């Protein structure tokens, strides 16, 4: 384990020193990667651990972004300590309201309804001109403040992002390894048997859904501070597609797979955009290629091998099992 | 009163389109147990093919319709047999992911081939005017659209209830395993149903070209509405799709007339209300459980 520890310390030091060696654009991109990594891991709580394929995860992301933007621009409140809890609370409330409809439904219904409800939030944001600014969104977001400090520099924002994304990843890591996380995986593997064992499947799913939306709102808030704006596009279905692509590219069967997927796609997007403007085509091809050629994602196979070594023998791949809920539900 | 009647007709026009889309979606689900997320995008592709063919033929809509169906039905069959069927063995998750990947690809593909602008076609000459319905004047083309959807519903009813193909389809839809045990080749049926469903969607997409405009975002916009329709009506049930289309189409028309900014919100309110009362949709049943 000595080498692993060493690599970890090296990684932590590199992450802490990064903003001092990087330029403005690299810092901006790094905050983006951190926000989207947290976004993708929160998404994978649903997909990988809960077997719930959501196509509406843009909704909590956008709710987080819009909450901090509205508080700052309409309420004059840009303190992280106020805006962030407000963003999380708003997304969790929305998750509770829509979750009551979506979590009791089987896989296919779940997927369709998440897409439909997310588009509802998009329709609200893009049409409700009086509050959300409609199509133009809410540009000109002031930098967030933390106590007496204003986090106006890219470096300060980077550290905020590192703190929030790191904290979020740590909390989610603990969650999936807690008894609750194991119960969640049991409901994914076999909802009926879990119900026989006394697990309240719908309640476990709802709790997961609400938690995932809460962390996605943190990611959305970070993203808005980094972009200094919130747009209806933040909520558009293509963002849900993007986070799904990140997650399966990295591997939904592994905890850190989505982080890798988020980093790759975030860095790839500006590079590819320089070559041609058809980002959604590239993303779609990535999704299709992963589905056919790399169904476990980049890190999924590795997680599988490790589980095999630990003696946690399972018939099929973890990713494959995520889909099996549909048939039994 | 007249205004309300006009809105009902407007709603039925849109319902006609929604039904052409959701009938295929719901039949495909019934037989194959997959939700085709690319259904709206395939309708959109059909619309672009129709636009392309019609523009070459001097704006003749009928040429466009024929071209859309002739291109999209084989494409649907090939898609099912070549890509979807092998993938189904891997799990439902991958099928959903794949059809969603198609959505992303097709959105940009039509942009690449036909540009990002809105596309539309003129109404054919003899349907260009308005038809009198008692005191009411309503575009003749829209009435034709409603009639086409009604005709399609009638044909589907006849095929499902009066033909051997329809009987096999209903059997697979009700209980796939038993139907297969009785010698029905469910997989081959799937390809046909998929092809026909895509054909209907393409027909719908092409038929609304003179009424709506079609842009690369069309696929997702309409598939979300088709989802709402089948969820409200009951997934896998054609009559549910018909009922859902009328309900959503008419709600949408009144929403546009009464609260123009939030017509979408009204549709979601209808969906939520139905799901509270009947979680499996108006005509749907809880799925068969089997482990």
């Amino acid at each position: 384990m000595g080498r692993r520890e060493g690599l970890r310390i090296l990684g932590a030091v590199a992450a802490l020193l990064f903003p001092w060696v990087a330029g403005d654009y690299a810092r901006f991109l790094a905050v983006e990667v951190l926000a989207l990594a947290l976004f993708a891991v929160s998404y994978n709580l649903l997909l990988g651990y809960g077997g719930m394929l959501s196509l509406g995860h843009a909704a909590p992301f956008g709710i987080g972004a819009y909450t901090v933007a509205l508080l700052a621009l309409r309420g004059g409140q840009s303190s992280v300590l106020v805006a962030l809890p407000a963003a999380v609370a708003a997304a969790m409330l929305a998750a509770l309201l829509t979750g009551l409809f979506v979590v009791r439904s089987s896989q296919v219904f779940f997927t369709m309804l998440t897409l439909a409800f997310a588009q509802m939030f998009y329709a609200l944001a893009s049409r409700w001109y009086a509050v959300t600014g409609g199509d133009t969104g809410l540009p000109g977001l002031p930098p967030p403040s933390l106590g007496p400090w204003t986090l106006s520099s890219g470096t300060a924002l980077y550290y905020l992002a590192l703190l929030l994304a790191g904290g979020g990843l740590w909390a989610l890591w603990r969650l999936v390894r807690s008894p609750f996380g194991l119960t969640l995986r049991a409901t994914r593997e076999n909802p009926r048997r879990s119900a026989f064992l006394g697990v309240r499947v719908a309640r476990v799913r709802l709790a997961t859904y609400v938690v995932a939306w809460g962390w996605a709102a943190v990611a959305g808030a970070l993203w808005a501070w980094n972009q200094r704006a919130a747009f209806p596009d933040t909520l558009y279905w293509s963002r849900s597609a993007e986070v799904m692509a990140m997650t399966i590219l990295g591997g939904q069967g592994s905890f850190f797979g989505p982080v890798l997927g988020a980093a790759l796609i975030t860095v790839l997007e500006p590079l590819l955009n320089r070559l041609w403007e058809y980002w959604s085509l590239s993303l779609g091809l990535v999704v299709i290629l992963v589905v056919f050629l790399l169904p476990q994602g980049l890190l999924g196979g590795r997680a599988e091998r490790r589980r095999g070594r630990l003696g946690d023998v399972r018939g099929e791949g973890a990713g494959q099992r995520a889909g099996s809920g549909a048939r039994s539900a | 009163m007249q205004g309300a009647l006009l809105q009902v007709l407007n709603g039925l026009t849109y319902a006609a389109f929604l039904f052409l889309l959701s009938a295929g979606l719901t039949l495909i689900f019934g037989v194959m147990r997959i939700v085709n997320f690319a259904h709206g995008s395939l309708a959109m592709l059909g619309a672009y093919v129709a636009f392309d063919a019609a523009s070459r033929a001097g704006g003749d809509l009928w040429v466009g319709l024929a071209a859309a169906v002739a291109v999209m039905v084989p494409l649907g069959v090939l898609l099912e047999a070549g890509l979807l069927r092998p993938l189904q063995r891997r799990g439902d998750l991958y099928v959903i992911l794949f059809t969603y990947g198609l959505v992303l690809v097709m959105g940009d593909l039509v942009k690449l081939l036909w540009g990002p602008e809105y596309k539309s076609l003129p109404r054919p000459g003899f349907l260009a005017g308005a038809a009198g319905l008692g005191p009411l004047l309503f575009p003749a083309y829209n009435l034709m659209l409603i009639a086409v959807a009604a005709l399609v519903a009638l044909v589907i009813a006849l095929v499902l209830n009066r033909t051997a193909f329809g009987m096999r389809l209903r059997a697979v839809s009700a209980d796939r395993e038993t139907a297969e045990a009785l010698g029905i080749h469910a997989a081959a049926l799937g390809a046909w149903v998929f092809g026909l469903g895509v054909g209907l969607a393409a027909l719908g997409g092409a038929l609304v070209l003179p009424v709506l405009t079609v842009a690369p975002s069309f696929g997702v916009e309409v598939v979300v509405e088709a989802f709402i329709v089948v969820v409200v009506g009951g997934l896998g049930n054609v009559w549910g799709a018909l009922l859902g289309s009328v309900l959503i189409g008419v709600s949408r028309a009144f929403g546009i007339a009464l609260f123009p900014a939030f017509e979408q919100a009204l549709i979601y309110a209808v969906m939520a209300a139905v799901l509270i009362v009947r979680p499996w949709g108006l005509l749907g049943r809880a799925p068969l459980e089997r482990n």
Side-chain angles (χ1 to χ4, degrees):
Chain A
M1 288 306 275
R3 209 169 126 231
R4 286 185 80 89
E5 295 281 283
L7 277 175
R8 259 178 223 169
I9 292 168
L10 204 67
V13 170
L16 284 172
L17 291 181
F18 173 79
W20 303 103
V21 292
D24 277 341
Y25 182 66
R27 269 198 298 265
F28 170 84
L29 213 57
V31 175
E32 187 105 344
V33 167
L34 287 167
L36 294 176
L38 178 59
F39 185 37
V41 173
S42 80
Y43 178 77
N44 200 35
L45 183 66
L46 292 173
L47 177 64
Y49 292 93
M52 293 177 265
L53 175 56
S54 164
L55 290 182
H57 215 49
F61 189 83
I63 289 172
Y66 267 95
T67 307
V68 298
L70 284 173
L71 273 177
L73 295 172
R74 305 254 196 266
Q77 177 59 263
S78 45
S79 165
V80 173
L81 298 175
V82 176
L84 204 60
V88 172
M92 286 177 123
L93 186 67
L96 203 60
L97 290 177
T98 58
L100 288 171
F101 294 107
V102 301
V103 296
R104 60 179 169 172
S105 46
S106 71
Q107 181 95 28
V108 182
F109 271 85
F110 179 86
T111 307
M112 288 194 302
L113 287 177
T114 49
L115 179 57
F117 277 120
Q119 285 297 93
M120 174 180 79
F121 287 110
Y122 168 74
L124 274 178
S126 63
R127 298 277 187 86
W128 199 2
Y129 284 88
V131 174
T132 62
D135 301 333
T136 39
L138 298 165
L141 194 59
S145 65
L146 189 63
W149 303 289
T150 304
L151 309 178
S152 48
S153 74
T155 307
L157 196 62
Y158 171 84
Y159 282 123
L160 178 70
L162 196 62
L163 184 73
L164 289 177
L169 253 56
W170 177 78
L172 285 164
W173 171 264
R174 293 294 301 263
L175 181 72
V176 299
R177 263 143 195 83
S178 69
F180 179 84
L182 295 176
T183 311
L184 176 65
R185 273 187 258 182
T187 66
R188 175 195 73 195
E189 294 295 316
N190 195 330
R192 290 184 85 194
R193 195 180 289 177
S194 309
F196 291 152
L197 290 171
V199 174
R200 299 194 155 178
V201 176
R203 202 175 285 187
V204 170
R205 284 193 176 154
L206 183 60
T208 309
Y209 189 71
V210 171
V211 169
W213 274 45
W215 284 111
V218 174
L222 259 180
W223 185 89
W225 281 323
N226 197 35
Q227 297 276 342
R228 303 234 162 145
F231 308 110
D233 269 12
T234 325
L235 283 154
Y236 201 45
W237 66 275
S238 47
R239 184 164 304 274
S240 303
E242 208 168 87
V243 72
M244 183 200 78
M246 289 170 177
T247 304
I248 63 161
L249 174 65
Q252 76 268 29
S254 95
F255 185 83
F256 289 104
V259 176
L260 179 67
L264 279 179
I265 287 187
T266 310
V267 174
L268 211 65
E269 181 172 357
L271 290 179
L272 263 180
N273 278 349
R274 226 173 281 165
L275 293 177
W276 69 344
E277 53 185 310
Y278 302 100
W279 173 237
S280 135
L281 184 62
S282 321
L283 208 59
L285 288 176
V286 167
V287 170
I288 291 173
L289 286 177
V290 168
V291 162
F292 277 100
L293 304 178
L294 197 70
Q296 305 296 330
L298 291 169
L299 292 186
R302 193 170 145 262
E304 195 104 314
R305 280 196 295 280
R306 194 183 315 152
R307 256 199 299 279
R309 205 165 60 221
L310 292 174
D312 177 11
V313 180
R314 297 161 26 143
E316 301 166 45
Q320 208 142 354
R321 285 304 183 86
S324 69
R327 241 175 241 145
S328 51
Chain B
M1 185 59 215
Q2 276 197 14
L5 207 62
L6 200 67
Q7 291 314 326
V8 170
L9 280 173
N10 274 333
L12 286 179
T13 308
Y14 198 68
F17 166 63
L18 282 179
F19 175 69
L20 290 177
L21 204 64
S22 51
L25 192 66
T26 214
L27 281 173
I28 289 170
F29 177 80
V31 172
M32 303 169 63
R33 298 287 145 188
I34 62 166
V35 168
N36 178 20
F37 277 85
H39 210 67
S41 304
L42 288 163
M44 173 180 74
L45 196 58
Y48 274 98
V49 169
F51 171 81
D52 195 271
S55 311
R56 283 168 211 271
D60 189 343
L61 180 71
W62 309 116
V63 175
L65 282 186
V69 174
V71 170
M72 295 309 289
V73 172
L75 193 70
V77 174
L78 284 178
L79 195 64
E80 200 283 336
L83 295 174
L84 275 174
R85 203 182 302 165
L87 210 53
Q88 253 193 311
R89 264 172 256 136
R90 199 171 275 178
D92 296 351
L93 174 76
Y94 291 101
V95 175
I96 297 179
L97 289 177
F98 170 66
T99 58
Y100 203 56
L102 284 181
V103 172
L104 292 167
V105 168
M106 280 193 277
D108 264 358
L109 197 65
V110 297
K111 208 190 279 178
L112 197 75
L113 291 175
W114 288 286
E117 311 84 28
Y118 288 85
K119 302 286 186 225
S120 183
L121 278 178
R123 296 178 207 153
F126 72 102
L127 289 170
L133 282 176
L136 224 61
L137 277 178
F138 200 66
Y141 185 84
N142 296 22
L143 289 177
M144 188 274 298
L145 201 58
I146 298 172
V148 168
L151 190 70
V152 167
L154 194 69
V155 170
I156 291 178
L158 285 175
V159 168
L160 280 182
N161 293 317
R162 296 290 160 88
T163 66
F165 176 75
M167 199 161 67
R168 284 201 292 271
L169 204 152
R170 278 184 297 141
V172 173
S173 198
D175 188 338
R176 188 186 177 105
E177 282 174 30
T178 310
E180 282 187 322
L182 290 172
I184 295 174
H185 192 358
L189 205 65
W192 281 110
V193 170
F194 201 86
L196 289 176
V198 169
L200 280 180
L203 183 70
L207 273 173
V208 292
L209 270 173
V211 184
L212 304 171
T213 50
V214 175
S217 62
F218 184 78
V220 176
E221 282 162 19
V222 297
V223 88
V224 168
E225 292 190 344
F227 285 167
I228 296 174
V229 163
V230 294
V231 165
V232 163
L235 196 53
N237 187 314
V238 183
W239 309 123
L242 187 59
L243 189 63
S245 301
V246 172
L247 192 63
I248 296 300
V250 173
S251 306
R252 185 178 179 271
F254 277 95
I256 292 174
L258 299 177
F259 341 88
F262 297 107
E263 112 265 353
Q264 285 286 333
L266 185 72
I267 297 177
Y268 293 105
V270 171
M271 174 177 83
V274 169
L275 287 178
I276 291 172
V277 185
R278 292 189 62 96
W280 303 110
L282 292 171
L283 301 182
R285 277 176 308 174
L288 214 67
E289 293 223 9
R290 184 172 271 166
N291 255 349

